[in-house]
Amino acid sequence: MEQETLPTEVILTYPKQSLGNVQLDWSPQPGSYFDLEGQTYTVLERRHRYQLKSGRYRLHKIAIYVQKMQHPAERSLVDGRWVMGDATCAYNARSEIVRCAVNPEGACEGCRYYERR
């Protein structure tokens, strides 16, 4: 059985503009990273677009809202998902999008605010 591709519109959140349409063979989740034309983006939101055909609604395409991002060098696995930064720090946000409250741009290594959780 062949993997079905999903027609996906990629929308940059700021400044708001469409980056185009792509065919994906995976389902992008918020917090995941997405590479397009040599630039890395973080998926912030995913919306489904449906179309009425023969009296039934069918998934027509997906729109993902993204922001430009440098692929983080520091990641930690927490409860089966990857989060940004060092999850052993008390200030870590345990988020796929935000590293921490006191040093969101990072890096965690050598951070003067590091406090063991």
Side-chain angles (χ1 to χ4, degrees), residues 2 7 16 33 42 44 47 49 53 58 61 70-71 73 76 78-80 82 86 97-98 103 105 110 115:
E2 232 176 86
K16 190 168 184 173
Y33 297 100
T42 300
L44 300 176
R47 294 184 184 172
R49 311 273 193 219
K53 264 190 176 175
R58 297 177 190 235
K61 72 177 184 177
Q70 294 294 326
H71 200 65
S76 301
V78 176
D79 297 330
W82 289 100
D86 183 355
I97 300 171
V98 178
N103 189 15
E105 296 299 316
E115 199 174 295

Side-chain angles (χ1 to χ4, degrees), residues 55 65 94 117:
Y65 293 81
R94 294 187 174 231
R117 188 178 286 248

Side-chain angles (χ1 to χ4, degrees), residues 10-108:
V10 181
I11 302 167
L12 186 64
T13 56
Y14 186 80
K16 190 168 184 173
Q17 69 182 43
S18 177
L19 298 177
N21 294 300
V22 295
Q23 295 286 329
L24 297 179
D25 60 356
W26 62 288
S27 183
Q29 300 294 325
S32 61
Y33 297 100
F34 176 75
D35 291 323
L36 181 66
E37 297 175 358
Q39 176 66 48
T40 300
Y41 299 93
T42 300
V43 178
L44 300 176
E45 186 178 343
R46 180 180 74 182
R47 294 184 184 172
H48 296 160
R49 311 273 193 219
Y50 292 91
Q51 186 175 44
L52 183 63
K53 264 190 176 175
S54 304
R56 297 180 66 185
Y57 283 100
R58 297 177 190 235
L59 182 61
H60 176 64
K61 72 177 184 177
I62 293 175
I64 57 174
Y65 293 81
V66 299
Q67 75 178 20
K68 284 184 182 178
M69 183 75 150
Q70 294 294 326
H71 200 65
E74 296 175 324
R75 295 189 307 170
S76 301
L77 189 61
V78 176
D79 297 330
R81 63 186 176 92
W82 289 100
V83 298
M84 288 184 65
D86 183 355
T88 63
C89 180
Y91 297 109
N92 185 275
R94 294 187 174 231
S95 166
E96 297 93 344
I97 300 171
V98 178
R99 182 184 309 269
C100 74
V102 295
N103 189 15
E105 296 299 316
C108 293

